[in-house]
Amino acid sequence: MAGARSQVNKPHKTRFASKASRHSHKIDKVRSGKPAGSHRAAVKGARAARLQHSKAIRDQKRAALLKEKRSSNGSSSAPRVIVLCGLSSSANVGPLAEDLLIFAAGGDEKLTSNTVASPAYKLRTTVLQAPYGDLTSCMELAKVADLLAFVVSANSLYNSDSGNPIDEFGSQCLSVLRAVGLPSTAVFIRDLPSDTKSKQELKKAAVSFLSPELPEDCRFYAAETKDDLHMFMRLFKEQHLSSPHWRNQRPYVMSEEACIKPGDSMGLCTLLVSGYLRAHNLSVNQLVHVSGAGDFQLGQIDILKDPCPVSERKNSDVMDSDDNQIQIIDTFVPDPLNQEPLLVENIPDPLAGEQTWPTEAEMEEAYESNKQRKVVKRKLPRGTSEYQAAWIVDDTDDEGDDSQNDNPDGAGMVIDEKDHSEHDSDSSDIDAVSHFTEKFDQETIGGSEMGDDENLTKEQIEEDIKRIKESNADDEEFPDEVETPLDVPARKRFAKYRGLKSFRTSSWDPKESLPPEYARIFAFDKFTRTQKHVLAKRAELDEESSKDCARIGSYVMLHVKNVPTDVASKLCHPSRRLPVVVSGLLEHESKISVLHFSIKKHDSYEAPIRSKEPLIFNVGFRQFTARPLFSSDNINCNKHKMERFLHHGRFSIASVYAPISFPPVPLIVLKNIDGQQPVIAAVGTLKSVDPDQIILKKIVLTGYPQRVSKLKAMVRYMFHHPEDVRWFKAC
């Protein structure tokens, strides 16, 4: 409480103060040039600047939201894609898809396409069916869905044993779709009774079962009568649809029609894909990715008349072409100077690492320094390279002399550090070292494949599977532990390994001992800065109206050139139920590099997954086969320990050679099983693109302790030769 009785502290003495500070109260503030209340004015101006900046940000977000709403709900926007996915075998998706299309079209006329225009709702809709039991097809359709509608049957609530409307495939499908990234979701409940009370009870039961498995904003609809469909269409028209972030980064076209145009070269053709352009503008100079085929260049983009307009309008600027009555509005042809090349691998320069010839003064200086240098010789085993010898710590104890006396035969290699010349080298011994190390590498990794199943009997295959499961269990319980063999010296079998004082802080050159082929992959100085620059260029393409750019929402025909004829025939086959998806690639996304994924084994997959085992990777719109190398995820260390198996319940890093992608991108890993559909093995996401990430294979030599004291221990069967003990003494 401030007042007459409040404490008043004694002021500081002005004995040590300057004369100017003692007389500052006598000087007029106006004459001093410092206006009264300047601090308050500065604070007020800063606050006004902050408020103005916040208002500008709100205006930008409001304008972006309004633009997105107009582009998604306007008459010029692309049709909204509804994908119907059944969660059980009793959910019949076909009749519901037909009812939706007929009701949206506003009549009972015969349907000729999956896309219809509804003048009553001023909306265009595409309805697709996900085949039950085909996990890959469901995943591919979910990637292009604007609304993912799950279909359940009310009969499964009281007819099935568990009373759950989701069966085993439905549960697996839900987990995969959650990993891919769910768009806006809805649930259609079929086979409801006509009784109002029973209908409401079954609907509540279905909601209670499905709500924990789906997002919070998921809506539930009854789908029995026309009134139910009318309510859904009315709410669907006004609904703000969300989509995965990775899909919003790239333009894509989902095919309404696809055909083949013969090319000039043998075995190659031009794939013609017609559909609506979504997400972003597409430049004709851009590279595209055809799902299931690969990366290609565009030969031409035709802007066609919309075949399914909401309201018919007469356009006098449209001309007819050919006999198919295709009306072309505009055509874009690539510019050879600006078209992005289809570059997959780097072409290394063999002279890039060459050095300039030294001058005479430098040569004389080097000669004098080498002349004054003392020659040091060390005793090393045969097959040890100069680089490996540099990691061996010199022993300064007196036992080093004893080790030389114990080896009178001279079974080693002497390295002269003056001129680095090798004496008494035996090529047969070096070959033996490489043979043992290669054999050990195969055993520690576990091999890439079990072998040729055609040449193995059923008993041999079962024995091989049992051996893999046992090694997986041993690796999980005793990671990195290795027993020293009896027939091979440890210094030969583990010749490729080196001892590190600290796994985290010890230095390791990422460029050492790289093969020349490693220069064919691409690397970035700063990957984050490159990604920011690429996304900024894509945003500029959306803002400006370029002459070689197709606008979002337009109906286009893409001429994808130099596609293999056999691949294009499979994509355009009449029996194919999936649409062809052509997505635009960002800059650098066709080039090969080393991708690192944060990966976790799926709960439904129980078989062991080994390193270097062939797996199917689904990364965004891409799909490819790779042999990943698993390693631990060390946050505070630039070195990662290799893992032989992908274990349950924890995240690991999977490193593969693959085309570059910019995160965030989801990862779905599938495993092929003979005679069955691919099953999901793991899920994850792209973490980084870095060819210089170090992955080390770590081993722990084991033995049996016989006598243990405070400072020493006696261990048996860790080494079987005295030379091995002296070799590993430095470690």
Side-chain angles (χ1 to χ4, degrees), residues 188-260:
F188 287 117
I189 305 174
R190 301 278 288 180
D191 303 329
L192 290 172
S194 57
D195 183 15
T196 305
K197 184 177 180 180
S198 302
K199 181 178 180 179
Q200 293 297 330
E201 290 179 354
L202 288 176
K203 186 176 179 180
K204 288 182 179 179
V207 171
S208 63
F209 272 113
L210 297 174
S211 294
E213 302 290 337
L214 297 173
E216 295 180 356
D217 58 347
C218 180
R219 299 183 179 183
F220 293 82
Y221 301 96
E224 292 295 332
T225 62
K226 289 186 177 181
D227 293 338
D228 297 336
L229 298 181
H230 171 69
M231 179 180 295
F232 163 72
M233 292 297 295
R234 182 173 56 84
L235 296 177
F236 177 59
K237 177 183 180 299
E238 301 297 334
Q239 183 179 359
H240 174 70
L241 300 178
S242 61
S243 58
H245 180 66
W246 64 268
R247 195 178 74 183
N248 289 335
Q249 289 185 339
R250 299 161 182 85
Y252 67 97
V253 173
M254 186 186 70
S255 67
E256 301 286 340
E257 296 179 2
C259 59
I260 297 175

Side-chain angles (χ1 to χ4, degrees), residues 88 127 311 320 606:
S88 63
V127 181
S311 59
D320 296 334
E606 298 180 354

